[in-house]
Every structure is written in C-alpha cells, then in structure tokens.
Amino acid sequence: MRGDAPQEGVKIWDIALRLFHWALVVAFAFSAWSAFQDKFGIYANMHTYAGVCVLILVCWRILWGLAGSESARFTSFVRGPKAIMGYLKHGDAAKCPGHNPLGAWSVVLMLLLLLAQAVMGLFATDDMFFSGPLSDQAGDWAGRLTRWHKQTGLVLLALAGLHILVVLYYTLIKKAGLVRAMITGTKPAAKRAPKLASPWRALAILVPLAGTLWYLILG
C-alpha cells in the first residue's frame, strides 16, 4: 500500500549518532577491561584515556540531544509514565521511529551514570599505583569518590549486560532489527522519517568540546 512504510525501512539514526554509539561501546569496553588489570604502565594509561573518551562522548551526546537530529533530541523521545505503560501493554519496538518510551529512560539513565562515573574517575586514586588526572584536587573527597567510582562501575557493567540481553530479545524474538538500525541507520517504522542533522554540525560540536576537555583534563 502506498501509505505503508517501505520494507527496507526509513532513515532513523544519523551517522554521527551511530558512530557515537559504537565509539562509546569501544571506549567503555577498554575502560572496564583495564579497570580489572594491574594499574601499571599501559593499563593505567588505557584506563585514563578510555575514561576521558567516555566523558567526551557522553558530553557530546547530551549536546546532540539538545541540538542534533530530531530522533536524537531528548524532547522527541523522553516520555512520562503514561506513555511507558501504554508501550508495555500495546507497544511494538519495530514501529517506534526512534527509542521506545521505555528504552528512552534507559538511555537517559546510562548517560547520567556514565557521566558520573567518568567525572568521579578523574578524581579517584588508590593511593598507590593509580590516580586520576585530577586526583590531587579532590582533597578529603578522594576516598569517597574512588569508592563511588568503583561501585558505579559495577552498576554500569550490570546495566550493560542487561542492555545486551534486551537487544538480543528484541532482535531475535521481536524481530525489531535494533542492531541493524544502529549500523545502517534505517529501521521499519509506521511514522514519517525524522529530520536528520548534518554530520558537519556534529563535528562542529565535537571538535571544540573534545579539544577543550582533553586540554583541561590532560593538559
């Protein structure tokens, strides 16, 4: 039928958001893996640089959620309890043009936790082999920030595992094509395709942001 969405799907996610997603996966994986290694040489550097990359990426995503593509903006997909309950009763992930109402809040939660984790890591120290790049400015808060940094890291690992299970469920059982959508940017949808921002706008936000944070943190 002419009014139906095309079988191959419509463009939902811009290239900048897709690159952000996979870059964050890599940075978080390196950060988490290096956290469980002895903090000598390469592992200490890996943990520091990966953590700073996570911070830069999350800050960019927050800005992109305010000034980026329509599907990336928080105002376009963050909904209240009524929308969440309606989705749980009648929702179909394949028909959601972007994040579904439940997934939207998981995105917000992950971003906030990653932001807190990365910021606390800047001031964390084990008083022996490893210290964050700004740990000398933490003062009496260093111990608490280090403990919270470790605890938040465990929470994030659990949420990452849950996220993978949910994606597998919607991909294999619901046939929603979530992984494919985050690779190609297209997804079957019942609504119109959202307006996507130019990748040059993404670069215009990322470059000064990354340069400023890298200089302020690592000098």
Side-chain angles (χ1 to χ4, degrees):
M1 295 178 63
R2 182 172 298 180
D4 293 340
Q7 291 297 316
E8 66 273 13
V10 295
K11 187 68 73 172
I12 297 298
W13 306 119
D14 59 73
I15 182 63
L17 190 64
R18 284 177 278 147
L19 288 175
F20 154 80
H21 178 272
W22 296 113
L24 184 61
V25 169
V26 173
F28 179 76
F30 274 110
S31 178
W33 181 69
S34 60
F36 292 96
Q37 310 303 315
D38 292 330
K39 297 300 188 299
F40 295 105
I42 187 173
Y43 295 119
N45 292 334
M46 182 187 299
H47 195 67
T48 298
Y49 294 141
V52 173
C53 287
V54 168
L55 179 60
I56 291 172
L57 288 167
V58 171
C59 288
W60 175 87
R61 178 62 182 92
I62 292 173
L63 294 176
W64 198 240
L66 301 175
S69 299
E70 181 183 348
S71 56
R73 297 197 181 200
F74 299 120
T75 54
S76 73
F77 64 81
V78 176
R79 296 290 182 264
K82 184 177 179 180
I84 294 175
M85 294 305 298
Y87 171 76
L88 291 175
K89 291 180 180 179
H90 312 291
D92 184 350
K95 294 181 180 180
C96 293
H99 295 294
N100 64 62
L102 186 59
W105 281 105
S106 70
V107 169
V108 173
L109 176 61
M110 288 288 286
L111 288 176
L112 290 176
L113 286 175
L114 284 167
L115 179 62
Q117 170 75 348
V119 170
M120 288 187 292
L122 299 178
F123 303 93
T125 178
D126 61 7
D127 292 322
M128 290 187 296
F129 304 114
F130 178 80
S131 295
L134 304 179
S135 60
D136 57 339
Q137 302 179 28
D140 295 337
W141 280 85
R144 274 172 285 189
L145 290 172
T146 301
R147 183 170 64 254
W148 296 341
H149 178 71
K150 293 178 180 179
Q151 293 169 345
T152 305
L154 295 176
V155 172
L156 281 167
L157 285 174
L159 289 176
L162 178 61
H163 175 71
I164 293 173
L165 290 176
V166 171
V167 169
L168 289 175
Y169 169 75
Y170 276 103
T171 299
L172 301 177
I173 306 300
K174 291 280 193 175
K175 306 298 183 182
L178 298 185
V179 176
R180 181 182 61 187
M182 196 49 68
I183 294 175
T184 65
T186 61
K187 179 182 175 184
K191 299 181 180 180
R192 64 176 178 83
K195 183 178 179 181
L196 302 182
S198 167
W200 294 109
R201 183 189 300 182
L203 276 177
I205 296 174
L206 176 63
V207 171
L209 172 67
T212 300
L213 289 178
W214 194 274
Y215 174 76
L216 291 176
I217 296 169
L218 300 173

